[in-house]
Each structure stands twice: as C-alpha cells, then as structure tokens.
Amino acid sequence: MYEPVQLRSFLAVSQLLSFTRAAERLGLRQSTVSAHVRRLEEAAGRPLLLRDTHTVQLTVDGEAMISFARDILDAHDRARRHFSTTVVRGKLRLGVSEDLISSYLPDVLQTFRRRNPLVDVELTVALSGTLHQLLDARALDLVFAKRLAGQSRGTLVWRDRLVWLGAADQPTPSRRATGEPVPLVVYPPPSISRAQALAALSSAGQPWRIACTSGSLGGLVAAARAGLGLLPHSARLVPAGLTPVAPADLPPLGEVEFILLSRPDADPAVVAAVSEAVGAAGRPTAGGRGRAPRTVG
C-alpha cells in the first residue's frame, strides 16, 4: 500500500521540515519529493503535512505516519538484506558529540546493530570541535556532531536552536540591573556551544564568568541542576532536570546544525549503513527521542 520511495521522501521532509533540503539530502528534484509525499497522502487518504510558501508542519496523522514509515522501511530493508548476497562487514571508528550520547545515540546504535551485525564499532565521544580534528587526522572514519549554522562541511541531519538551560526548580533572576556577570556552565574549548554563547554575550555587552567547566555532559548537567550557572545546549536534547530559561537580559544563542561527516576514503557501505540508521531514528523531540520536533521555551 505504501511505496518505500514515498516513505523515504516523507521521512526526509518530516526531519528537515523543508522540501528543498529533503530533495538535496535524497539527491532528487524538489518536484519529485513533493510528488512522493502527495501520493503517500493519497494512499493514506489524509493530509500528512501542512505547507505554505514558508513553513512545513506535520499534522497529527503525519506524526503517526513517522512511526509506521520507519517500521515499514525497516522491514523492507531487513528483507532486502536477507535476500542480498552482499553483507556489510568491517570496523567503524565512529565519533559522536557528547550532546547525543544519552538521549539519542542509543536509538541509532540499536538500529545500526540490528541491520549490520557484522560491523564492529569503535566509539569515540568528544566535543564536536575535537571530533572534526580527529577526523582530519584520520583517527576516525565517520563523525556525527555539530557545526555552526551556515557552514557547508558535512551532510545536514537536522538544524536546532541553542537555548539557555537552568535548574527546573530554581529561578533565574535578571542580572543587567546589578551588572553581575552571568555564571556559565560550559564545555572547554573547542566547544561550539561554548564559543557561540560567549560570542552572543560579548556582542550584547553582557558580562559573564565561567562558573563550571567539564568535558562531560553528565558533569555539566549536575552543575546546572545544582544552580551553579546556565548551560547553553541544544533545544531538542534537553537533559532531565533542566529546563529552557529565557531571562530578558540574556541574548539568543542562534542555531547549530547536526551533521554526518566521513573521511573520503572511508568504507562507503559502512558510512551508508550509519546514515540509514540515523535517518531511521529521525530527529529527537525536545525532551524526547526520535520523533519530529516541537517548539521549546
């Protein structure tokens, strides 16, 4: 009833909320992606997406179709692999941003292992900037990490806002009146979120101080939950116990992009397998995992 090619186009649009970017990811024309989604909606008998000239949004039925589409494509891929003579084997040196470890990576690895049981994974968890350096040094085969919005290196998986996070049970008072610096809980350099937060505060003329530094997301979350300071972080990967805060005296942090980036000579079959697993997991929801996003804070 539902064609795999149509489901793949629908999932790409639902992840990127853009027909243009979905077409770029899939290597198709925008009109082809639009036709795929339209035929899927005709087969379902219900609208799955609301779109106008500027925005694309999922309907309630579109949200439901995401889960069905992943299940159908997963079954389709398992059948194809079962009857295929080609089995992906080898070793993958995968670098993953610290932000993704607890809330999103388990879904990706579970899907990857189920589909590619003969590929061994060597996992490196580090800051995005460090992972880029390791890839350039040929110490990694594939990186799943962040880049600054607007950069072109890597394949875009999703775009997200950075937000200020604070302890859910503690107020965040204004500091502009007193001139008190904003206490920050941040990764060490070369953290992208740290650099973006410091640049935003400096541009706004807002004084700041580094109240806590940790290379571990667990350490940063503990410090922020204890009220040591504010943590700049992805809006869709908010850790438990923290919540987005928006004091009037703090500037917006802008956007970051999560990408896949591989070495030119990495095994293309293994790279494609990871890309499929990331696509199957979808985009994390704010405070959740593997579903289309909703607005936060």
Side-chain angles (χ1 to χ4, degrees), residues 2 34 68 93 124 126 164 175 189 195 229 231 269 289 294:
Y2 302 120
S34 297
F68 294 134
R93 298 177 301 171
T124 298
W164 298 104
R175 292 174 172 82
L231 169 64
R289 301 191 320 195
R294 53 186 170 84

Side-chain angles (χ1 to χ4, degrees), residues 203-259:
S203 296
Q206 176 68 281
W208 50 267
R209 65 182 178 87
I210 304 298
C212 180
T213 302
S214 175
S216 160
L217 178 60
L220 295 181
V221 170
R225 290 182 64 180
L228 271 65
L230 298 180
L231 169 64
H233 199 267
S234 162
R236 295 192 184 112
L237 298 170
V238 175
L242 298 180
T243 187
V245 296
D249 57 345
L250 287 185
L253 292 170
E255 294 185 328
V256 292
E257 296 174 342
F258 287 84
I259 61 166

Side-chain angles (χ1 to χ4, degrees), residues 52-183:
D52 56 30
T53 55
H54 301 292
T55 61
V56 177
Q57 294 181 338
L58 284 160
T59 65
V60 173
D61 290 315
E63 293 271 7
M65 179 59 80
I66 289 176
S67 177
F68 294 134
R70 291 179 189 143
D71 290 343
I72 293 169
L73 289 175
D74 188 51
H76 181 272
D77 289 341
R78 290 200 310 271
R80 175 179 54 80
R81 287 191 300 275
H82 179 82
F83 294 106
S84 172
T85 57
T86 302
V87 178
V88 179
R89 302 172 182 267
K91 179 180 179 180
L92 171 67
R93 298 177 301 171
L94 176 63
V96 180
S97 171
E98 179 80 26
D99 313 59
L100 297 161
I101 291 302
S102 61
S103 59
Y104 185 67
L105 185 64
D107 288 344
V108 174
L109 291 180
Q110 183 181 52
T111 300
F112 178 79
R113 174 58 62 192
R114 185 170 65 248
R115 297 180 177 185
N116 306 277
L118 299 182
V119 176
D120 297 326
V121 178
E122 181 181 300
L123 184 63
T124 298
V125 180
L127 304 179
S128 293
T130 301
L131 295 174
H132 285 274
Q133 295 169 1
L134 291 172
L135 186 74
D136 292 338
R138 304 177 63 83
L140 296 174
D141 302 312
L142 182 69
V143 163
F144 185 17
K146 298 193 298 289
R147 72 182 180 196
L148 293 173
Q151 292 182 335
S152 59
R153 190 183 187 195
T155 301
L156 178 65
V157 179
W158 75 78
R159 184 176 288 108
D160 195 7
R161 293 181 301 119
L162 283 179
V163 294
W164 298 104
L165 298 184
D169 58 350
Q170 296 189 26
T172 306
S174 172
R175 292 174 172 82
R176 185 175 295 281
T178 63
E180 180 184 349
V182 178

